[in-house]
């Protein structure tokens, strides 16, 4: 009976620790994933600007429904705020939505900096210039994503190993 | 003669424009509605200079409460306020209005027009857009049902329309008059009062005569009037002649050589055209390179000269195709019976 209890405790400690490691590993890969979604969303916005010449309120409302994950979230939020407060400068609405994205998701200030820079130019110039700004932002986000993805893979391996072996060590010492 | 402001009160037209202005400017102009009774013709925003209205051809500077004031005591407009107005006018999307900005104006819902001044951004000798906009001129579009009635008898012969040209300087009411001519033709008022509507095609290159919204004209241009909006006149005329079997084409502002060629095509098809051009008089039109050949070829059977006197719109003369005056009396187009208003404030 005592052996069974020990075995169960051992399994719980190792299993729990491994799960925690997996969660941390998933969390470290979330940032590049969100950056990839934002990059893909900006490319969709470029199509709206370039081919459809669709005004931002309409383009953002549509992309809020169709763009992936973080990008859809950002576009939807800006679109809703534009509808609610058309008087406000777009730069301010965009900035607020980007900051909210950082608070609610896993992205930090350095990850969001290209988006904040884009907000100062969005909608304020002719088509070619808008495309240049969007392209630059998408490229900056892509570079940041590539950097984080390498780091994330190493961190994910570390967290998975640490979770399993840490749990194992704890179980051996404690039990 | 009864005139009617159909669907919109005078202040309604002004209020439509206020939503394209930042809150602080809007507040001043809402105050001005009490101190400077509409109709207003223009709202002027010039960065670093006083907020102004043009009313009956006269410029009035406004103080913080919207009262007329000398320039020194008037409320200045900030460059940021001009920039924010442009954001509101273009829906925060300048790129979507690139072609309009290149021409220096944006047509707003209701047919109002925002004219722009600032630094021109050119490429290859052509204006690409206006950057750093420093001035905005919001022109209030007016729908005046009935203003065309004094002119109509001159433009018809046994119930059939004759090609006609309206001449006048900017702000002389050409667009307002053309809109009502289109309405009268499409409603059957033009056909000698017989009630037979003329199959009319309105070519509204600048979106300001009919001001379509979702395919429906927001201004009254006639029940039997088809509207072709945007696009160059020459192409629009070709579409109209090919597909819409018109008896009458109505279009605004002849200004390009292609426009003259398009009119020639319409003439060969036996379709009358009612149009307008910038020129103060017949003599001035004869000196204009674009208009001279059209007048020499007697393309237009009627030429009407418009003029403003003391802030009132009117007809100065109606001429035949040879330039002989048929009626040289001053006929005021704005007054008559007091406006009969339909509908309440929006």
């Amino acid at each position: 009976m005592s052996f069974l209890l020990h075995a169960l405790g051992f399994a719980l400690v190792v299993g729990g620790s491994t799960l925690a490691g997996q969660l941390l590993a998933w969390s470290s890969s979330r940032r590049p994933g969100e950056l990839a979604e934002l990059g893909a969303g900006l490319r969709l916005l470029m199509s709206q600007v370039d081919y459809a010449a669709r005004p931002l309120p309409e383009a953002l409302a549509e992309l809020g429904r169709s763009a992936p994950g973080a990008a859809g979230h950002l576009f939807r939020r800006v679109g809703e705020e534009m509808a609610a407060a058309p008087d406000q400068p777009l730069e301010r609405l965009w900035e607020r939505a980007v900051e909210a994205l950082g608070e609610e998701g896993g992205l930090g200030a350095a990850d969001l900096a290209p988006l904040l820079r884009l907000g100062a130019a969005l909608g304020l110039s002719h088509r070619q210039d808008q495309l240049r700004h969007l392209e630059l932002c998408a490229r900056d986000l892509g570079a940041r994503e590539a950097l984080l993805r390498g780091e994330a893979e190493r961190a994910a391996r570390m967290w998975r190993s640490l979770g399993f072996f840490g749990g194992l060590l704890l179980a051996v010492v404690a039990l | 003669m009864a005139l009617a402001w159909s669907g919109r009160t005078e202040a309604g037209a002004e209020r439509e424009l206020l939503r394209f202005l930042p809150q602080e400017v809007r507040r001043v102009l809402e105050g001005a509605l009490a101190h400077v009774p509409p109709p207003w013709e223009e709202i002027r925003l010039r960065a670093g200079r006083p907020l102004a209205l043009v009313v009956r051809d006269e410029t009035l500077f406004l103080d913080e409460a919207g009262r007329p004031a000398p320039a020194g005591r008037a409320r200045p407009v900030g460059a940021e306020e001009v920039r924010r107005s442009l954001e509101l006018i273009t829906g925060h999307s300048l790129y979507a209005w690139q072609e309009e900005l290149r021409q220096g104006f944006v047509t707003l819902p209701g047919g109002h027009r925002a004219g722009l001044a600032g630094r021109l951004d050119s490429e290859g000798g052509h204006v690409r857009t206006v950057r750093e906009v420093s001035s905005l001129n919001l022109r209030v579009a007016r729908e005046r049902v009935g203003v065309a009635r004094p002119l109509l008898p001159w433009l018809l012969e046994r119930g059939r329309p004759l090609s006609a040209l309206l001449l006048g300087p900017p702000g002389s009411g050409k667009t307002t008059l053309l809109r009502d001519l289109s309405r009268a033709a499409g409603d059957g008022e033009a056909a000698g009062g017989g009630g037979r509507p003329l199959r009319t095609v309105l070519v509204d290159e600048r979106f300001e005569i009919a001001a379509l919204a979702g395919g429906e004209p927001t201004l009254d241009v006639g029940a039997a009037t088809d509207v072709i909006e945007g696009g160059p006149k020459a192409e629009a005329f070709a579409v109209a002649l090919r597909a819409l079997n018109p008896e009458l084409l109505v279009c605004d502002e002849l200004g390009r050589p292609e426009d003259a060629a398009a009119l020639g095509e319409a003439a060969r098809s036996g379709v009358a055209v009612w149009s307008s051009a910038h020129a103060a008089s017949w003599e001035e039109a004869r000196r204009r390179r674009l208009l001279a050949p059209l007048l020499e070829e007697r393309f237009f059977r009627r030429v009407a000269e418009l003029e403003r006197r003391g802030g009132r719109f009117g007809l100065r003369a109606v001429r035949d195709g040879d330039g002989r005056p048929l009626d040289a009396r001053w006929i005021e187009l704005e007054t008559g019976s007091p406006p009969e208003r339909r509908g309440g404030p929006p």
Side-chain angles (χ1 to χ4, degrees):
Chain A
M1 186 65 185
S2 163
F3 172 75
L4 275 176
L5 281 174
H6 270 84
L8 186 64
F10 188 89
L12 279 173
V13 170
V14 173
S17 170
T18 304
L19 187 65
Q22 287 289 357
L23 284 173
L24 286 166
W26 173 79
S27 157
S28 63
S29 65
R30 188 176 161 198
R31 282 168 70 198
E34 285 186 8
L35 287 171
E37 288 167 356
L38 287 167
L42 288 179
R43 300 215 179 271
L44 292 173
L45 184 55
M46 284 169 75
S47 301
Q48 296 279 338
V49 169
D50 196 13
Y51 299 111
R54 188 165 289 163
L56 281 173
E58 287 172 37
L60 293 174
E62 185 176 321
L63 292 178
R65 291 188 293 272
S66 60
H73 190 73
L74 174 68
F75 294 154
R76 192 162 48 248
R77 190 172 197 128
V78 179
E80 285 168 1
E81 293 219 12
M82 281 173 99
D87 225 19
Q88 293 280 316
L90 174 61
E91 185 180 357
R92 198 174 303 160
L93 301 178
W94 180 266
E95 191 181 302
R96 277 211 298 262
V98 170
E99 282 167 0
L101 192 70
E103 285 159 19
E104 291 159 16
L107 297 175
D111 304 328
L112 298 171
L115 282 174
L116 289 173
R117 281 197 296 275
L118 174 67
L122 198 59
L124 295 178
S125 57
H126 58 81
R127 196 172 307 152
Q128 292 311 316
D129 196 52
Q130 287 295 293
L131 293 175
R132 275 197 291 271
H133 282 291
L134 287 164
E135 177 65 39
L136 180 67
C137 183
R139 239 189 274 167
D140 286 351
L141 291 176
R144 185 86 192 144
E145 180 207 336
L147 182 76
L148 287 180
R149 207 169 277 288
E151 283 177 15
E153 278 169 17
R154 283 193 296 277
R157 274 200 301 274
M158 183 193 77
W159 285 120
R160 278 191 212 103
S161 304
L162 207 61
F164 177 71
F165 290 113
L168 198 63
L169 184 67
L170 188 67
V172 168
V173 171
L175 303 171
Chain B
M1 179 182 56
L3 306 181
W5 297 85
S6 72
R8 298 188 299 181
T9 62
E10 292 178 26
E14 280 77 8
R15 283 185 194 283
E16 274 179 356
L17 274 174
L18 296 192
R19 67 192 166 101
F20 297 104
L21 297 168
Q23 206 172 3
E24 309 78 52
V25 178
R26 204 159 56 217
R27 202 187 50 241
V28 176
L29 290 169
E30 274 164 0
L33 283 171
H35 300 293
V36 185
W40 299 347
E41 283 153 27
E42 295 174 354
I43 300 170
R44 295 285 196 144
L45 278 77
R46 299 179 177 97
R49 280 148 299 162
L51 177 61
L53 294 177
V54 176
V55 181
R56 295 205 173 278
D57 215 15
E58 200 177 313
T59 298
L60 302 172
F61 298 121
L62 300 176
D63 68 8
E64 200 63 55
R67 287 180 300 246
R73 284 199 290 113
R75 180 199 186 278
V77 177
E80 177 62 18
E81 288 174 333
V82 174
R83 197 181 73 87
R84 279 173 53 205
S85 300
L86 188 61
E87 266 201 70
L88 291 170
I89 287 165
T90 60
H92 306 272
S93 314
L94 259 70
Y95 61 86
W97 299 91
Q98 201 157 314
E99 182 57 27
E100 289 84 352
L101 292 174
R102 202 174 63 75
Q103 292 187 46
F105 68 89
V106 173
T107 305
L108 301 167
H112 309 292
R113 186 196 274 198
L116 318 165
R119 183 176 297 169
L120 297 180
D121 182 4
S122 306
E123 193 176 66
H126 295 284
V127 176
R128 191 164 54 171
T129 189
V130 184
R131 285 199 319 174
E132 293 179 32
V133 171
S134 59
S135 300
L136 285 172
N137 172 18
L138 303 183
R139 274 179 76 177
V140 185
R142 303 234 170 255
E143 185 182 24
R144 297 182 177 183
V145 175
V147 287
R149 283 174 198 149
L151 180 61
L152 271 175
W154 296 111
L155 308 190
L156 300 161
E157 200 171 64
R158 290 188 292 278
R160 296 187 60 80
L162 304 170
S163 285
L165 180 67
L166 309 182
L167 296 176
S172 57
K174 297 188 294 296
T175 303
T176 305
L177 187 54
L178 266 181
R179 183 184 298 121
D180 197 49
L181 284 170
S182 169
R183 180 203 59 76
D187 280 352
E189 206 174 293
R196 186 182 76 85
L198 296 172
R199 288 188 309 278
T200 304
V201 176
L202 171 64
V203 174
D204 191 3
E205 195 175 356
R206 303 170 187 209
F207 313 96
E208 61 184 355
I209 306 180
L212 291 184
E216 196 176 324
T218 57
L219 303 169
D220 189 354
V221 291
T225 301
D226 300 303
V227 181
I228 301 178
E229 226 183 37
K233 277 186 196 68
E235 311 248 346
F237 272 34
V239 169
L241 293 172
R242 203 166 43 228
L244 297 169
N245 185 26
E247 292 171 270
L248 173 67
L249 288 163
V250 179
C251 69
D252 203 1
E253 301 294 349
L254 299 176
R256 290 186 296 244
E258 310 88 84
D259 298 344
L263 291 187
E265 190 57 38
R268 278 188 289 279
S269 307
V271 177
V273 179
W274 291 352
S275 188
S276 67
H278 283 306
S281 63
W282 165 269
E283 290 74 22
E284 189 184 316
R286 287 283 301 242
R287 289 195 295 271
R288 296 268 306 274
R289 197 184 303 168
L290 173 80
L291 300 174
L294 292 170
L295 296 176
E296 272 164 27
E297 286 172 26
R298 294 177 180 76
F299 175 82
F300 295 107
R301 302 273 308 278
R302 296 288 182 266
V303 176
E305 295 174 13
L306 303 182
E307 191 183 49
R308 294 187 68 174
R309 286 186 187 173
R312 318 295 279 180
F313 299 98
L315 272 177
R316 187 177 58 196
V318 181
R319 297 173 185 271
D320 67 10
D322 296 316
R324 283 189 296 264
L326 299 170
D327 192 340
R329 287 172 304 158
W330 162 259
I331 302 169
E332 192 164 313
L333 295 176
E334 233 185 331
T335 54
S337 308
E340 167 198 316
R341 298 182 184 187
R342 295 206 306 258

